[in-house]
């Protein structure tokens, strides 16, 4: 079993839909990260959080330390949000989930 | 700031050849990470340095892989001899002090034929 599990693995949505991507982990962590990887391959850090909730534009990330679970929400999704979203945890080193491939159709 | 710089961006080589990937971290960052991304295994940490010293190299696949950081502004990842299964995208990332956020380079896409 992977130490960081994401769901779903693939997600197709219509423009404007509210999107949720989930991440569960089984190790002790000092921080959790959400990364975005565009089709061109570049990786961008979206959020780093260790508790509660963070919001940046249409993106919201939450974490529940007790349940070892985090969610990434995208409101009013847009085709430019199409990317792979990767959850990673800092547990000594960075451990990555397998990623969620999101496709937003116009 | 130019961000993390990696070179080359693409490398195609034949099996058995030596490959050297290069990384320049963001100025002032004292931690540097090398990752490998494949379709099968996703992103994996290979090795990371803190203040130019290797801290954790448990992710380095085997003795064919070696990494160095001779100074705070430069690191190399070398594969000798290369094999087709080494084909992947190799990312370098850097981090400042006690911060958690890492900044990724654009990656080097390596193809070993």
């Amino acid at each position: 079993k992977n130490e960081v599990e994401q769901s779903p693995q693939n997600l197709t949505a219509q423009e404007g839909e509210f999107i949720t991507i989930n991440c569960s982990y089984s190790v002790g962590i000092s921080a959790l990260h959400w990364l975005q990887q565009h089709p061109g391959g570049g990786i961008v850090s979206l959020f780093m959080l260790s508790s509660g909730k963070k919001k940046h534009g249409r993106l919201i990330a939450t974490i529940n330390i007790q349940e070892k679970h985090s969610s990434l929400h995208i409101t009013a999704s847009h085709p430019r949000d199409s990317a792979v979203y990767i959850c990673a945890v800092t547990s000594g080193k960075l451990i990555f989930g397998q990623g969620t491939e999101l496709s937003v159709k116009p | 700031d130019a961000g993390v710089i990696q070179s080359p961006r693409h490398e195609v080589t034949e099996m058995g050849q030596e490959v050297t990937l290069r990384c320049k971290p963001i100025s002032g960052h004292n931690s540097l990470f090398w990752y490998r991304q494949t379709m099968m295994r996703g992103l994996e940490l290979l090795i990371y340095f803190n203040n130019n010293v290797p801290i954790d190299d448990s992710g380095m696949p085997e003795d064919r892989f070696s990494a160095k950081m001779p100074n705070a502004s430069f690191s190399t990842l070398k594969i000798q001899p290369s094999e087709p299964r080494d084909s992947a995208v190799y990312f370098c990332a850097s981090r400042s002090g006690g911060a958690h956020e890492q900044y990724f380079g654009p990656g080097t896409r390596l193809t070993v034929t």
Side-chain angles (χ1 to χ4, degrees):
Chain A
K1 190 177 187 299
N2 294 331
E3 292 166 305
V4 180
E5 295 271 4
Q6 287 184 237
S7 64
Q9 291 188 346
N10 296 282
L11 180 57
T12 299
Q14 287 298 127
E15 184 173 357
E17 285 184 2
F18 180 83
I19 289 164
T20 296
I21 300 170
N22 296 298
C23 175
S24 296
Y25 53 92
S26 58
V27 294
I29 70 169
S30 54
L32 183 141
H33 310 255
W34 282 101
L35 309 171
Q36 180 190 56
Q37 186 170 27
H38 277 286
I43 297 175
V44 175
S45 177
L46 297 175
F47 295 104
M48 188 280 296
L49 62 165
S50 53
S51 65
K53 175 180 174 178
K54 286 191 176 180
K55 184 176 188 293
H56 181 69
R58 295 180 294 106
L59 302 179
I60 303 167
T62 64
I63 187 169
N64 185 318
I65 298 295
Q66 287 72 34
E67 294 186 2
K68 296 190 173 181
H69 180 269
S70 175
S71 293
L72 176 68
H73 305 286
I74 305 175
T75 61
S77 60
H78 190 276
R80 65 174 175 265
D81 297 327
S82 298
V84 175
Y85 292 84
I86 303 169
C87 173
V89 300
T90 302
S91 180
K93 60 183 182 182
L94 207 57
I95 306 171
F96 296 89
Q98 285 292 94
T100 295
E101 185 166 4
L102 171 65
S103 176
V104 182
K105 306 294 187 187
Chain B
D1 197 324
V4 176
I5 299 172
Q6 290 187 246
S7 65
R9 294 293 306 277
H10 301 272
E11 176 81 30
V12 180
T13 191
E14 292 184 347
M15 182 174 64
Q17 296 298 307
E18 177 180 295
V19 175
T20 299
L21 311 182
R22 297 173 175 80
C23 175
K24 177 176 166 48
I26 292 173
S27 177
H29 284 192
N30 64 342
S31 295
L32 183 140
F33 305 80
W34 282 103
Y35 298 99
R36 179 171 68 176
Q37 186 178 38
T38 61
M39 288 292 293
M40 289 295 293
R41 300 171 67 91
L43 271 162
E44 302 173 283
L45 175 68
L46 297 176
I47 185 171
Y48 83 91
F49 295 84
N50 199 42
N51 294 321
N52 312 338
V53 177
I55 302 300
D56 182 352
D57 65 354
S58 58
M60 296 285 265
E62 48 199 88
D63 292 345
R64 297 185 297 106
F65 285 69
S66 62
K68 294 182 180 179
M69 192 164 185
N71 57 63
S73 59
F74 183 67
S75 177
T76 59
L77 177 68
K78 186 176 292 187
I79 308 172
Q80 166 64 19
S82 58
E83 296 182 3
R85 60 192 168 118
D86 302 330
S87 298
V89 181
Y90 291 82
F91 288 98
C92 175
S94 69
R95 184 181 72 188
S96 170
H100 286 291
E101 185 171 9
Q102 298 184 19
Y103 295 82
F104 285 77
T108 295
R109 183 174 296 275
L110 172 65
T111 302
V112 183
T113 60

